[in-house]
């Protein structure tokens, strides 16, 4: 990777313990003495080799928006149960409910392929900042600026992906201060090896989600495959396990309080670089609306799912995503308020402004900030309409699928480099997988009620925020009886919801789709028109942001005078931490580890605390094998660390100073949800499955002898008691 920009250099000051999602290149610039003092026992150079794209960090892989880690040289990947949920659901039915029962492949022939499942292994990082900005024509307005940079990004990706089985990405850092081209190997044959029962993988359900103490076995094991010659390939019975150049050995001794750990993975997005006004808008409008709208959709899907066993399976994956966003938004609101984060950001901004006003070289930064504030005020005027249009993309499968088919036909008529990124040729395999996979998630009674709820909200919008497509198809005034009847007719008369016909539609032109006279498709075209206009408006805003934000961020970084890791953006990062408890409120202290005894203490026999019989039998018999912690005198289940994590870190390997896997990250504590806006060392805690709980389940509960041997772990005696 080319040398990072000067202001990202970390040699001038020591890194801050806990805080910071550091890029691979930044890790190489950290003070080796500091890293050793923290507990790193391998050479920092072994973390990442920029010339070869290898090292310890390369063992952390991207698993479809989650993180994961190779744990054997034969392609085994550990991630979260909720990250593998779509594969589990894909192979589940009322007659063979793998969601409830769990799954263990007794041999490789039994491993279950996941449609659309992919694993990306990082290979190289190249600074392309100059190339991106050089693509902008002189005098370009903000929309033209964004379109030119988007075109350049597509060209860079096309060149990068000439190599077989390659997936590339151009990532923006610090709002456009730096652009990096990331090259990864993409493995497209990914199979399920082991998933615990849902009552283990989701133990505590939404009641315990984001909470501590936690007792959840949120992990699953996959395997990546290649063609016999080692090249990446789609699923084929002749494929062989991927040979991982680096994998994490399992630290069977686990961790104890104050141990050093690292969390590696692909954190999705954080907002610490936002101006205070942007943060305030999310606090005042965005998160409350997510709680409101998604809360209603959750209630609908739960009510309808309880009426039909097949329907319950169908809505399970969608519900999981909705629940997570819903509870996350509540946590963001609580954390923003409790931590006075917006107020602190205003104070921090004011300090930078006062500092910059005394330095002529930062006059441009002050001007940029003023224009960014003006843009934020303008953006807020159409908030409700834009929020609901976005909800139409995901809130109900019927209109969402119709929009996708309409957009696909329109975009495919353009040259590839002129299409919207999500409809380029490189994305079509993923898009077609999704069009097929959504059939498993579709349950008509729930979907129609969800759409009804969205239409009701759209019809309640003010005169200046109307959604024309909704007004055209449903009228301007809400009547539950009339709207419900129209939705019933739309769904009954459409082929969009038939998998075979939808697959045909995905290859048809706009003219061919129009001749079908499918009313749901026509609604999709009308919604697509408004979504295209909204996307163009956002492109203009993004162009303005890329023009202005780098100027402001350069001043912020210069004023900081210390290392500042860029906001998360879905790229490979590492955070350094210690195993620690915390004080959630006055008079209370949470220890950093939970145990199998705690699992059984919560057991009620009812969801979400219904321990599977085979797990309870082993626990009650104190059949711990070699997996009990000598200090705890029990099998550790979960542990806390003060790592700087966020969404996307689900499934991240948590490793010790030797580079051995000690756990799998799966959550944050409730008090830490607003960590996305600012790191607070007092409550910044991530939640991990202890590797010893993983091994205990495989050994003492599942008798997964073959899997244990592959992991290089000796099976424990069944009769061994607690130490």
């Amino acid at each position: 990777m080319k040398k990072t920009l000067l202001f990202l250099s970390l040699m001038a000051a020591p890194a801050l313990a806990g805080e910071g999602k550091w890029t691979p290149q930044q890790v190489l610039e950290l003070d080796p003495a500091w890293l050793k003092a923290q507990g790193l026992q391998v050479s920092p150079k072994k973390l990442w080799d920029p010339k070869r794209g290898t090292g310890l960090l390369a063992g952390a892989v991207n698993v479809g928006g989650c993180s994961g880690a190779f744990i054997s040289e034969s392609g085994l990947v550990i991630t979260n149960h909720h990250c593998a949920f779509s594969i589990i659901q894909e192979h589940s039915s009322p007659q063979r409910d793998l969601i409830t029962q769990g799954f263990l492949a007794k041999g490789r022939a039994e491993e279950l392929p996941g449609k659309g499942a992919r694993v990306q292994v990082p290979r190289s990082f190249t600074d392309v900042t100059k190339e991106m900005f050089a693509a902008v024509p002189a005098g370009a307005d903000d929309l033209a600026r964004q379109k030119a940079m988007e075109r350049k990004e597509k060209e860079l990706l096309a060149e990068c992906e000439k190599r077989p089985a390659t997936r590339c990405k151009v990532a923006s850092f610090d709002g456009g201060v730096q652009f990096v081209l990331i090259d990864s190997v993409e493995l497209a044959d990914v199979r399920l090896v082991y998933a615990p029962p849902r009552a283990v993988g989701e133990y505590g359900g939404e009641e315990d989600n984001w909470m501590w103490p936690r007792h959840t076995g949120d992990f699953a094991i996959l395997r990546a495959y290649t063609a016999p010659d080692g090249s990446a390939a789609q699923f084929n019975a002749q494929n062989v396990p991927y040979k991982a150049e680096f994998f994490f050995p399992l630290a069977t001794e686990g961790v104890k309080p104050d141990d050093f750990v690292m969390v590696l993975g692909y954190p999705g997005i954080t907002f610490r670089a936002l101006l205070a006004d942007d943060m305030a808008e999310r606090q005042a409008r965005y998160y409350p609306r997510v709680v409101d709208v998604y809360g209603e959709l959750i209630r609908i899907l739960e009510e309808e799912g309880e009426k039909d066993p097949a329907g319950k399976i169908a809505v399970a994956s969608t519900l999981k995503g909705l629940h997570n966003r819903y509870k996350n938004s509540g946590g963001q609101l609580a954390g923003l308020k409790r931590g006075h984060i917006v107020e602190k950001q205003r104070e921090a901004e004011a300090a930078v402004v006062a500092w910059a006003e005394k330095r002529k070289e930062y006059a441009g930064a002050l001007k940029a900030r003023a224009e960014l504030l003006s843009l934020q005020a303008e953006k807020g005027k159409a908030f409700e309409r834009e929020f609901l249009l976005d909800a139409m993309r995901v809130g109900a499968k019927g209109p969402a699928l119709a929009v996708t088919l309409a957009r696909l036909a329109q975009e495919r008529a353009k040259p590839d480099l002129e299409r919207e990124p999500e409809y380029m040729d490189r994305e079509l395999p993923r898009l077609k997988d999704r069009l097929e996979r959504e059939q498993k998630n579709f349950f008509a009674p729930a979907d129609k009620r969800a759409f009804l709820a969205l239409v009701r909200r759209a019809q309640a919008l003010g005169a200046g925020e109307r959604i024309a497509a909704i007004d055209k198809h449903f009228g301007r005034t809400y009547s539950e009886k009339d709207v419900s009847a129209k939705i019933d007719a739309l769904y009954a008369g459409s082929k969009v919801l038939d998998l075979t016909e939808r697959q045909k539609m995905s290859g048809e032109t706009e003219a061919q789709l129009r001749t079908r006279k499918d009313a749901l498709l026509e609604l999709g075209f009308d919604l697509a028109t408004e979504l295209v206009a909204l996307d163009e408006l956002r492109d203009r805003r993004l162009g303005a942001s890329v023009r202005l934000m780098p100027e402001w961020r350069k001043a912020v970084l210069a004023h900081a005078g210390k290392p500042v890791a860029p906001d998360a953006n879905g790229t490979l990062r590492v955070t350094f931490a210690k195993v620690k408890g915390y004080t959630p409120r006055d008079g209370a202290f949470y220890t950093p580890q939970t145990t199998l005894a705690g699992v059984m203490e919560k057991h009620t026999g009812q969801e979400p605390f219904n321990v599977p019989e085979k797990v309870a039998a082993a626990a009650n018999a104190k059949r711990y094998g070699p997996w009990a912690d000598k200090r705890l005198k029990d099998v550790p289940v979960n542990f806390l660390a003060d790592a700087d994590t966020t969404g996307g870190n689900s499934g991240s390997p948590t490793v010790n100073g030797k580079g051995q896997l000690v756990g799998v990250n799966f959550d944050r504590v409730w008090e830490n949800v607003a960590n996305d806006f600012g790191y607070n060392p007092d409550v910044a805690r991530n939640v991990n499955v202890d590797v010893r709980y993983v091994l205990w389940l495989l050994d003492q509960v599942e008798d997964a002898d073959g899997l244990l041997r592959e992991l290089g772990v000796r099976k424990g005696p069944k009769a061994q008691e607690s130490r």
Side-chain angles (χ1 to χ4, degrees):
M1 179 179 177
K2 298 177 184 177
K3 187 170 178 62
T4 52
L5 300 180
L6 180 61
F7 54 79
L8 288 181
S9 177
L10 304 177
M11 293 301 292
L16 302 174
E19 182 173 7
K21 302 174 183 68
W22 308 107
T23 68
Q25 181 64 25
Q26 285 180 312
V27 169
L28 297 179
E29 297 170 354
L30 286 168
D31 181 357
W34 179 84
L35 287 170
K36 184 177 180 180
Q38 295 304 302
L40 184 66
Q41 297 180 50
V42 299
S43 167
K45 292 182 179 179
K46 289 189 176 181
L47 295 180
W48 183 251
D49 179 350
K51 293 181 179 179
R52 296 183 59 239
T54 59
L56 191 145
L57 271 69
V61 296
N62 190 313
V63 185
C66 287
S67 301
F70 285 120
I71 53 173
S72 81
E73 62 181 354
S74 52
L76 284 181
V77 173
I78 194 164
T79 186
N80 284 161
H81 179 272
H82 71 263
C83 295
F85 195 81
S86 63
I87 306 178
I88 304 168
Q89 182 197 38
E90 177 185 339
H91 293 279
S92 291
S93 66
Q95 295 73 38
R96 190 194 186 204
D97 187 356
L98 302 185
I99 295 176
T100 301
Q101 299 162 3
F103 172 78
L104 172 65
K106 296 296 185 182
R108 290 176 183 172
E110 293 185 7
E111 294 172 4
L112 302 176
K115 186 170 294 297
R118 292 171 173 83
V119 166
Q120 292 175 14
V121 187
R123 187 159 51 193
S124 69
F125 298 76
T126 305
D127 190 320
V128 293
T129 308
K130 290 181 180 179
E131 292 91 328
M132 291 293 289
F133 282 113
V136 180
D141 65 13
D142 289 332
L143 181 59
R145 169 183 291 272
Q146 175 58 23
K147 292 296 185 183
M149 296 183 79
E150 186 178 277
R151 172 83 179 210
K152 186 62 182 177
E153 177 180 340
K154 294 173 183 176
E155 292 171 352
L156 290 167
L157 295 178
E159 181 64 28
C160 181
E161 292 179 355
K162 284 182 178 179
R163 296 173 68 177
T166 295
R167 183 71 176 179
C168 300
K169 171 181 178 176
V170 174
S172 171
F173 293 79
D174 271 310
V177 170
Q178 184 184 28
F179 290 86
V180 175
L181 175 66
I182 301 167
D183 176 350
S184 301
V185 177
E186 182 167 80
L187 306 173
D189 184 355
V190 181
R191 308 180 195 179
L192 181 66
V193 177
Y194 175 66
R198 189 174 195 171
V200 172
E202 289 184 16
Y203 191 66
E206 288 309 312
E207 186 172 334
D208 269 11
N209 194 14
W210 305 99
M211 298 298 179
W212 188 262
R214 200 73 178 272
H215 300 84
T216 308
D218 193 351
F219 76 97
I221 298 175
L222 311 173
R223 192 189 304 276
Y225 281 78
T226 67
D229 64 1
S231 62
Q234 297 290 327
F235 172 79
N236 188 299
Q238 303 306 311
N239 285 352
V240 297
Y242 173 74
K243 293 182 179 179
E245 182 173 354
F246 183 89
F247 65 93
F248 296 101
L250 306 189
T252 55
E253 72 276 12
V255 292
K256 62 183 182 302
D258 297 319
D259 275 358
F260 169 81
V261 294
M262 300 177 283
V263 178
L264 294 69
Y266 298 79
I269 184 169
T270 54
F271 310 103
R272 296 175 190 176
L274 288 183
L275 296 178
D277 278 13
D278 291 301
M279 289 187 179
E281 187 271 343
R282 295 186 76 84
Q283 182 178 25
R285 304 184 74 176
Y286 178 75
Y287 291 124
R289 189 59 69 242
V290 170
V291 170
D292 176 24
V293 175
Y294 285 71
E296 181 178 16
L297 295 177
I298 287 168
R299 290 191 295 274
I300 289 169
L301 267 61
E302 286 182 337
E303 289 171 4
E304 294 299 327
E306 287 300 321
K307 298 175 184 178
D308 185 292
K312 189 171 185 177
I313 289 174
V315 301
S317 182
T318 303
L319 262 177
K320 181 180 284 290
L322 290 173
H323 268 300
N324 204 49
R325 289 192 66 182
Y326 172 81
K327 196 161 186 178
N328 175 278
S329 294
Q332 299 284 9
L333 287 170
L336 285 164
K337 180 180 179 181
R338 180 180 56 250
H340 306 287
I341 291 173
V342 174
E343 295 81 359
K344 289 177 180 177
Q345 188 73 344
R346 290 198 192 283
E347 293 174 6
E349 275 182 44
V352 176
V353 168
W355 176 85
E357 286 174 340
K358 300 174 184 177
R359 293 163 174 79
K360 292 182 180 180
E361 64 269 32
Y362 292 108
L366 296 174
K367 184 178 179 181
R369 176 178 175 272
E371 191 171 345
L372 285 167
L373 290 171
S374 177
L375 288 170
Q376 169 56 35
E378 184 66 26
K379 183 174 70 173
K381 294 179 181 178
F383 171 84
E384 296 294 344
R385 178 178 183 275
E386 292 184 17
F387 185 93
L388 271 180
L389 273 172
D390 284 335
M392 294 287 178
R393 304 180 202 244
V394 297
K397 306 296 181 188
L401 289 168
V403 166
T404 299
L405 291 168
R407 292 291 305 275
L408 176 58
Q410 292 170 336
E411 293 294 324
R412 203 174 45 238
K414 305 174 185 177
D416 194 44
L417 288 178
E418 294 178 15
R419 298 178 195 170
E420 288 299 305
E422 61 267 37
Y423 295 99
M424 293 179 68
D425 286 343
R426 67 193 291 268
E427 297 293 346
L428 293 185
R430 283 174 167 73
L431 195 152
K432 290 181 178 180
D433 283 342
R434 180 168 65 83
L435 287 173
E436 181 176 346
R437 196 169 58 249
E438 286 288 45
Q439 197 68 27
K440 191 74 176 181
N441 298 325
F442 178 71
F443 181 51
D447 205 66
K448 290 191 285 187
R449 273 191 65 191
F451 190 24
L452 177 68
L454 294 174
V455 172
R456 187 192 76 245
R457 290 174 180 276
Q459 290 181 320
L461 290 172
E465 291 192 294
R466 304 297 297 184
I467 298 176
I470 298 299
D471 287 349
K472 174 181 175 181
H473 289 266
F474 298 99
R476 298 179 63 89
T477 305
Y478 180 73
S479 162
E480 182 172 336
K481 181 179 179 181
D482 291 345
V483 173
S484 184
K486 289 178 180 178
I487 291 175
D488 284 341
L490 276 177
Y491 279 53
S494 179
K495 298 295 185 182
V496 169
L497 305 171
D498 178 274
L499 176 58
T500 301
E501 287 299 314
R502 187 164 69 247
Q503 289 173 323
K504 293 178 184 177
M505 292 179 190
S506 69
E508 293 178 357
T509 66
E510 179 174 355
Q512 289 172 318
L513 291 178
R514 296 280 193 182
T515 59
R516 285 177 171 268
K517 304 297 182 183
D518 188 305
L520 185 56
L521 261 181
E522 291 304 315
L523 171 64
F525 277 110
D526 291 335
L527 281 170
T529 298
E530 296 189 71
L531 288 166
V532 167
L534 176 58
D535 289 343
E536 183 167 303
L537 175 61
R538 286 175 171 168
D539 278 344
R540 188 179 296 277
R541 290 172 184 164
L542 187 56
S545 179
V546 172
R547 173 171 56 86
L548 300 167
M549 186 59 84
E551 287 297 316
W552 171 246
R553 287 300 296 168
K554 288 173 186 177
V556 172
L557 293 165
H559 173 262
K562 63 181 181 181
V564 178
D567 264 325
N569 58 0
T571 63
L572 180 59
R573 306 292 182 92
V574 59
T575 172
F576 305 104
K578 294 291 181 70
V579 176
K580 283 186 178 181
Y582 75 111
T583 299
R585 57 189 175 276
D586 184 44
F589 176 74
Y590 285 156
T591 59
Q593 293 175 284
T594 59
T595 65
L596 194 55
V599 173
M600 297 310 299
E601 285 174 5
K602 285 183 175 179
H603 174 58
T604 63
Q606 303 293 325
E607 291 188 9
F609 298 107
N610 186 18
V611 178
E613 184 177 341
K614 59 184 179 181
V615 176
N620 289 330
K622 296 186 182 296
R623 202 168 64 227
Y624 298 159
W627 313 118
D629 183 289
K630 292 181 179 179
R631 184 180 59 86
L632 298 172
K633 296 181 174 59
D634 201 345
V635 176
V637 174
N638 295 155
F639 68 88
L640 295 174
D642 62 353
D644 193 355
T645 62
T646 188
N649 275 123
S650 291
S652 283
T654 302
V655 303
N656 61 21
K658 299 176 183 178
Q660 300 169 327
L661 188 93
V662 294
V664 184
N665 175 79
F666 70 94
D667 206 353
R668 289 174 284 170
V669 299
W670 180 251
E671 297 81 9
N672 187 37
V673 174
N675 176 62
D676 290 348
F677 292 89
Y679 182 87
N680 180 349
D682 293 335
V683 296
R685 300 293 184 272
N686 66 303
V687 188
N688 312 268
V689 183
D690 194 299
V691 71
R692 290 169 290 183
Y693 188 48
V694 174
L695 292 170
W696 178 79
L697 285 165
L698 293 176
D699 178 10
Q700 299 293 311
V701 177
E702 303 288 2
D703 291 321
D705 298 10
L707 195 51
L708 288 167
R709 283 195 299 271
E710 184 175 352
L711 293 171
V713 176
R714 293 182 62 183
K715 182 175 172 61
K718 283 283 185 180
Q720 185 165 339
E721 297 293 321
S722 171
R723 302 182 208 178

